[in-house]
Amino acid sequence: MENSVAENKRTGAELIVDALAGFGVDTVFGLPGDTGVGLYNALYDHSDVLKHILVRDERHAVAMADAYARVTGRVGVAEVSSGGGTTYAVGGLGEAMASGIPILLITSDIHTRSRGTGALTEIDQLALFSAVTKWRAIVEKVDQVPNMVRTAIIEATTGHPGPVALIFPEEVLDQLSSLTGTVPDPELTRLPGERIGARPELAAGAAARLQQAEKPVIIVGSGVFTSQAEAEVAELARKLGAGIATSIHGRGTVVDDNPNLLGISGNNGGQPGVNAHLAEADVALFVGTRANATNTNGFTCPRRGSVFPIHIDVDSAIAGVNYPDGIALIGDAKTILGQLIEAVAEVPERTREARLAEIAEARKDVTDPHETPGQVENGPAAGLIPADCVKLIAALVPETGCVLADPGTPTPNVANYWPVAETGRRIVIPRGHGPMGYAIPAAVGGYFGTGAPVVSFTADGSFGMSCGELETVSRFNLPILYVQFTNHSYGWIKMLQHLYYDKKYFGVDPGTIDPLPVAQASGFTRTARPTSLEELEAVVREFAADPRPTYVDIEVPHMIAVTPPVPAWYAALNGDSERPVY
Ligand SMILES: Cc1ncc(C[n+]2csc(CCOP(=O)(O)OP(=O)(O)O)c2C)c(N)n1
Ligand SMILES: [Mg+2]
């Protein structure tokens, strides 16, 4: 990189670019503001080493960095400016914080001499980011830049990964330094930042419990991706003959044809056979999952109180918290699973066969997307069944870099019906907060992270929140297929009113926006509204043959008419009206 300033000195902004490039960052998602122009000057000069993706909303820049991080296992980087840029970024950071996604947010701030003057865009950024980042700091002096970038990256990737923020007062971006940058270490941005095993006696105790179990189960979440522990999960399950359930975040940790796989556990997307199998377990090993109420159907699958829990997590504030009174193994999942694999003996062949047979039975007990209690109550529904659409598309675009899903109809359908042929984080569903409006922008990050075509499932409510980003997709001519499930409603919430509040629908039926002219006006040249699976197939085949920005709008029945795999809703439709508590 050439020095652009006199006497071989570099500006703070150049040091940021140097450091990012040195740490292997290739893409930054962002939107400029008054205080950050110095950074854009450096981005202009050094666009050969750092790609900048200009976005339409700072929330979306963070969602892109989030998806980029999920599919690459590396830090995603977003940059925004003071005031509105920072406050809008918060909306994206909340999801990353709750989901343990390593993001470096770079923000500019007002000049230090303007502090306390009511300057335009002034806000206490440390306070603003306190709930949505795991670490944050102001870089007060230019010579701190390289080390602070390194520290921020280490904070993002070690322990429980998460978003971090580095705040640059505007003059620091322009100040000159004679530093030439840090010693580059691209590996620092890669997860996991460290690998720490469990105390041997605790691991031995856990292994003994698993070995003695009558019905051991393993429940895995996205921490398995963080740790790259997919092979260890499969091997431990094989040795024990244990069933493996995944959270939605854990989808992709185990391939569908693994005989130990049960399926998705819990309430959103969980299947009856999986939940019933877990409910009977006597020993449960949780790996890299919060084991929250949604993942466990209100702590009944497995049953808190009767199951003996073993919980592996890098975060002591997660391991053993929701299922106390067991063994908490705090550290790196791959390392600790390795300790357990070492310590357990293979179960006898007859035991394994019996256990695998039970797992196979449990897998058969799934809800039928064509015969749901909603349909029984309301009769046949108009529109295409979302499950059919997901399966069809998955079969037609097998080389997908990743698939994403927004909340509402897309989440349980994509989680259940998008197949997993290979391990890896390729199903990206934001389950930290379940923020609407994620999948449209996040698909951009998914593309830049994988370099392959992306399929993104959204819904009419989410569309309204993030359709402005479609222009970015067409500006870069990205190979993204958007599929919108339209039910003209904030359907998920309407369903809750339907089931638990006497069908008093309120605040859930906004007007309709036709997404196709919006996509066209944003530069999309391929849009469609198929009304049959054949028509859907035709447009998806066009996308597969020539992947470029494509928007497909599909009318689907409301959940009131066709019930997605949400066990509590099945229970409610069958007379159990107790509302699940998250
Ligand atoms: C940012 C945000 N606001 C509110 C919610 C609460 N919420 C969850 S699902 C949902 C309805 C989503 O409507 P739509 O996108 O049309 O999907 P549908 O449920 O109709 O399939 C709402 C409002 C949310 N998840 N995220
Ligand atoms: Mg809707």
Side-chain angles (χ1 to χ4, degrees), residues 93-377:
L93 291 169
E95 168 58 30
M97 183 69 179
S99 290
I101 307 302
I103 290 177
L104 169 59
L105 179 72
I106 291 171
T107 79
S108 54
D109 203 351
I110 57 166
H111 199 292
T112 50
R113 75 166 175 245
S114 303
R115 285 178 182 164
T117 65
L120 184 73
T121 77
E122 181 173 12
I123 189 168
D124 180 345
Q125 292 194 29
L126 291 177
L128 178 70
F129 294 134
S130 62
V132 291
T133 56
K134 62 175 285 203
W135 181 92
R136 63 215 76 85
I138 301 174
V139 181
E140 300 273 1
K141 297 262 179 299
V142 69
D143 283 353
Q144 294 176 315
V145 170
N147 282 342
M148 293 286 268
V149 172
R150 187 184 55 204
T151 303
I153 287 171
I154 290 171
E155 290 290 336
T157 54
T158 52
H160 191 204
V164 298
L166 268 186
I167 303 159
F168 295 89
E170 67 175 329
E171 77 272 21
V172 175
L173 296 172
D174 292 329
Q175 277 168 4
L176 295 176
S177 166
S178 32
L179 296 180
T180 51
T182 47
V183 177
D185 181 1
E187 287 309 301
L188 275 188
T189 54
R190 194 181 294 285
L191 291 174
E194 61 196 344
R195 292 197 183 276
I196 296 171
R199 283 190 13 225
E201 65 276 21
L202 284 181
R209 285 285 189 160
L210 286 165
Q211 192 81 72
Q212 289 151 16
E214 287 289 319
K215 188 161 181 172
V217 293
I218 302 177
I219 299 141
V220 299
S222 59
V224 170
F225 295 125
T226 302
S227 173
Q228 292 136 32
E230 294 93 332
E232 286 75 10
V233 168
E235 175 59 8
L236 182 63
R238 190 195 64 77
K239 277 185 116 172
L240 293 169
I244 314 169
T246 77
S247 65
I248 289 184
H249 269 171
R251 223 22 215 135
T253 53
V254 184
V255 292
D256 286 338
D257 64 9
N258 183 319
N260 293 85
L261 181 67
L262 288 159
I264 298 174
S265 66
N267 189 29
N268 190 332
Q271 292 289 356
V274 182
N275 284 345
H277 187 97
L278 295 181
E280 289 162 5
D282 59 343
V283 178
L285 172 66
F286 296 98
V287 188
T289 169
R290 292 168 291 180
N292 69 10
T294 311
N295 299 333
T296 62
N297 212 14
F299 310 109
T300 61
C301 320
R303 206 170 286 288
R304 185 158 67 188
S306 67
V307 76
F308 183 84
I310 303 166
H311 198 158
I312 301 176
D313 203 281
V314 74
D315 190 344
S316 63
I318 291 178
V321 169
N322 286 334
Y323 282 78
D325 216 9
I327 300 175
L329 300 173
I330 295 155
D332 171 56
K334 188 183 187 80
T335 310
I336 298 174
L337 285 168
Q339 291 175 283
L340 298 181
I341 290 166
E342 277 272 316
V344 300
E346 285 192 28
V347 292
E349 202 48 42
R350 276 182 46 197
T351 307
R352 190 200 333 270
E353 270 167 24
R355 289 179 181 175
L356 288 179
E358 261 193 62
I359 294 165
E361 276 308 302
R363 277 180 80 146
K364 286 188 201 148
D365 185 7
V366 289
T367 55
D368 179 347
H370 293 271
E371 277 184 38
T372 73
Q375 270 176 316
V376 172
E377 194 178 278

